Amino acid sequence: MGSASSAYRVIYLDVDGRTQKVVFSRFCSPCDIKELFCTATGLSRNTTISLLDSTGAMVSIDPTMPNNSERSPYKVVPITGGQLADKEELFQNVLTQVAEQFSRAFKINELKTEVTNRLAMLEKRVELEGMKVVEIEKCRSDIKKLREEMASRNNSSFLDDNKKLTPRRDVPSYPKYHLSQETVEALRQPIFDVWQWEPNEMLSCLEHMYHDLGLVKDFNINPITLKRWLLCIHDNYRNNPFHNFRHCFCVTQMMYSMICLCNLQEKFTQVDILILMTAAVCHDLDHPGYNNTYQINARTELAVRYNDISPLENHHCAVAFQIFSQPDCNIFANFDPEAFKQIRQGTITLILATDMARHGEILDSFKQKVDNFDFTNEEHVTCLKMVLIKCCDISNEVRPMEVAEPWVDCLLEEYFMQSDREKAEGLPVAPFMDREKVTKPTAQIGFIKFVLIPMFESVMKLFPQIEEVMVQPLRESRDRYEELKQIDDAMNEVQKKKSENLTMGGKKK
């Protein structure tokens, strides 16, 4: 009976003062659940609705939403036709403004700053008004195209100081989602499905992690400042195919799961835990979607600024501490100057360690220490923290195949964007980024065999508990891609023979 009932959710809704019981499978999609709620409350199936609990807080409509009782039903709030009509009008206005920005940006490059500021306002309006999905995606697409055109005119593609770094005043401006017990427990696991969540929900999950690890309480972090900081972090990740806010969430969630799995709070100080989590959150801030090699070869402003030394990682650090320099976003406000200096240095060290050009150097240093590791030795602990953030940064293949594989597509898309641009600009192109040379299996096999497995196996010497949930999935992923490569090779061989036979046949004629 227990297993059968756990496969279903029972939710009670308030329908004009009477209570309506709704039962659905935990495998339903959020869209199906919304349609079910609409039907149960007598609304048309495509009505846009919100769900509120007895306190008026918004409840996320998804398979993991918490069960309630007949005494505390959720209220279904439809968005009325009038509101939708207003949004239609707003949408038309926004598109008209976007069109104007296109025209002016192409004609007069000197208006770049003004256009950028107006676009930022447009994006904020789009976000706050919550328009229909089709409309919002169309508008976002237009905005993205304009941004790309502007970026192509200016290789540095820098974060404008006045644009995204301004903290939001409308805190809390993302709804407080009720994370179910199931979600809270799943968050601690490497198998957590990071694709199931909207940005607002990811922000709530990140907020939960800081509270759950005791960081908010132990360091007297203002909860509203934490919210505002996370919103500002979200705003300063770009919509790249791979290096985006969801990647930031992925890396931080994996760090959180490693902290829980390896009982790191028993080994590290709380300051160390704070540094690990914060470095994970900030580690790719304002990533432009083109790697260090491109920055250096194209002689971008970033490469010039940082003398070709980890230009991106240095930029991520700089943006992170620009955000912290604003009182509204400074979660470290209650630290004395000496403690803040320690946190700043620790965070910078970890973010700089994510430059893969330093992979061999960092891993070799750790391997020299791991057999006689000393948790009281500051140099040993710093080296371990560097390896931990590196593990989390490239940990997608630790996750289940259905969660991991879409990330490969995202990364290849970003690689191909870069190699196409490099070809157009006459710059060197790395073979692993060239769409004409790379395949998924070839891209993954070497990376898993020679980068991921050796690094995770080194960490396994200190924490044997990661073998089953992290190292074994990596080995299985390696085996799967090797099988796929064999299939690809066999198919290519068949194709080659067919081609040869056709050629021979043509010659005989």
Side-chain angles (χ1 to χ4, degrees), residues 184-235:
V184 166
E185 289 167 10
L187 258 182
R188 293 169 164 253
Q189 305 299 322
I191 59 172
F192 187 77
D193 188 348
V194 294
W195 295 105
Q196 295 288 329
W197 311 89
E198 297 172 2
N200 284 342
E201 295 167 317
M202 290 188 277
L203 287 165
S204 280
C205 287
L206 290 171
E207 189 184 352
H208 167 79
M209 293 173 203
Y210 271 74
H211 281 279
D212 185 54
L213 291 170
L215 301 175
V216 176
K217 182 168 180 268
D218 291 353
F219 298 118
N220 195 21
I221 296 172
N222 182 328
I224 297 297
T225 304
L226 177 65
K227 280 178 178 287
R228 194 181 284 114
W229 172 66
L230 287 170
L231 281 161
C232 204
I233 290 291
H234 168 267
D235 289 350

Side-chain angles (χ1 to χ4, degrees), residues 9 11 22 24-39 45-51 59-65 133 177 183 193 195-198 201 246:
R9 292 275 181 219
I11 298 296
V22 181
F24 57 87
S25 165
R26 62 193 293 262
F27 302 108
C28 279
S29 70
C31 185
D32 290 339
I33 298 169
K34 285 177 184 174
E35 286 190 1
L36 198 60
F37 288 172
C38 286
T39 304
R45 290 170 60 186
N46 59 352
T47 305
T48 305
I49 60 170
S50 293
L51 208 61
V59 181
S60 174
I61 302 176
D62 65 54
T64 65
M65 64 191 297
V133 174
Y177 284 96
T183 299
D193 188 348
W195 295 105
Q196 295 288 329
W197 311 89
E198 297 172 2
E201 295 167 317
R246 193 175 300 276

Side-chain angles (χ1 to χ4, degrees), residues 229-237 245 248 281-282 285 323:
W229 172 66
L230 287 170
L231 281 161
C232 204
I233 290 291
H234 168 267
D235 289 350
N236 285 285
Y237 273 90
F245 178 68
C248 150
V281 169
C282 299
L285 275 168
I323 293 171

Side-chain angles (χ1 to χ4, degrees), residues 91-92 94-96 98-99 102 126 131-146:
F91 175 64
Q92 292 302 327
V94 171
L95 276 193
T96 302
V98 170
F102 266 108
V126 166
M131 294 184 294
K132 287 184 286 189
V133 174
V134 175
E135 296 172 343
I136 199 167
E137 285 310 314
K138 172 71 171 67
C139 195
R140 282 195 192 285
S141 171
D142 289 343
I143 289 170
K144 185 180 176 186
K145 283 176 187 170
L146 178 52

